[in-house]
Amino acid sequence: QVQLVQSGGGSVQAGGSLRLSCAASTYIGGSYCIGWFRQAPWKEREDVAVICRDGSTRYAESVNGRFTISRDNARNTDLQMISLKPEDTATYYCALDRMGIRWPPSAFPYWGQGTQVTVSS
């Protein structure tokens, strides 16, 4: 069973940048999509971005133009975040699907451990 290990994140002032990384424990063969969602206290879970093996991407409107999802191979996926806002503060999770669910990433069956992102004003 594949495991996802996250790294990156931290604290930054508004307008700053952060990068999140997600590494799969094994090579991900076949068709897959991997993405990110976030959870902030007292807020609904929000789906952020997805990239699939065919290279297609999808973003939430709230992050479009500021966040970029990428993958370098079938094991590592990054989320580059720029122009961060205080409302981006949340715990971010990467998630993987291998069964054809392309969106939302919070519905994917495999999740990382979560990484905190804090943006101060």
Side-chain angles (χ1 to χ4, degrees):
Q1 179 163 332
V2 64
Q3 293 182 326
L4 303 176
V5 179
Q6 298 178 217
S7 59
S11 298
V12 67
Q13 289 189 326
S17 302
L18 287 172
R19 177 184 290 267
L20 304 180
S21 296
C22 179
S25 58
T26 62
Y27 175 79
I28 307 171
S31 178
Y32 69 88
C33 292
I34 191 164
W36 298 85
F37 65 93
R38 62 190 181 186
Q39 179 72 65
W42 307 293
K43 290 186 177 180
E44 290 188 3
R45 184 176 296 164
E46 183 179 16
D47 298 287
V48 174
V50 164
I51 187 167
C52 296
R53 184 176 183 180
D54 62 4
S56 61
T57 58
R58 178 173 174 175
Y59 296 92
E61 186 175 340
S62 61
V63 306
N64 198 23
R66 300 188 297 120
F67 290 12
T68 302
I69 190 170
S70 63
R71 57 178 174 80
D72 57 358
N73 53 41
R75 295 186 64 175
N76 299 307
T77 303
D78 288 349
L79 185 69
Q80 177 67 47
M81 306 180 292
I82 66 171
S83 302
L84 283 161
K85 306 174 181 180
E87 51 264 43
D88 294 318
T89 296
T91 300
Y92 285 70
Y93 297 86
C94 66
L96 169 70
D97 175 70
R98 304 168 73 176
M99 299 300 291
I101 305 171
R102 297 179 71 89
W103 187 269
S106 57
F108 293 179
Y110 301 100
W111 292 10
Q113 80 274 20
T115 300
Q116 180 65 36
V117 169
T118 303
V119 184
S120 57
S121 58

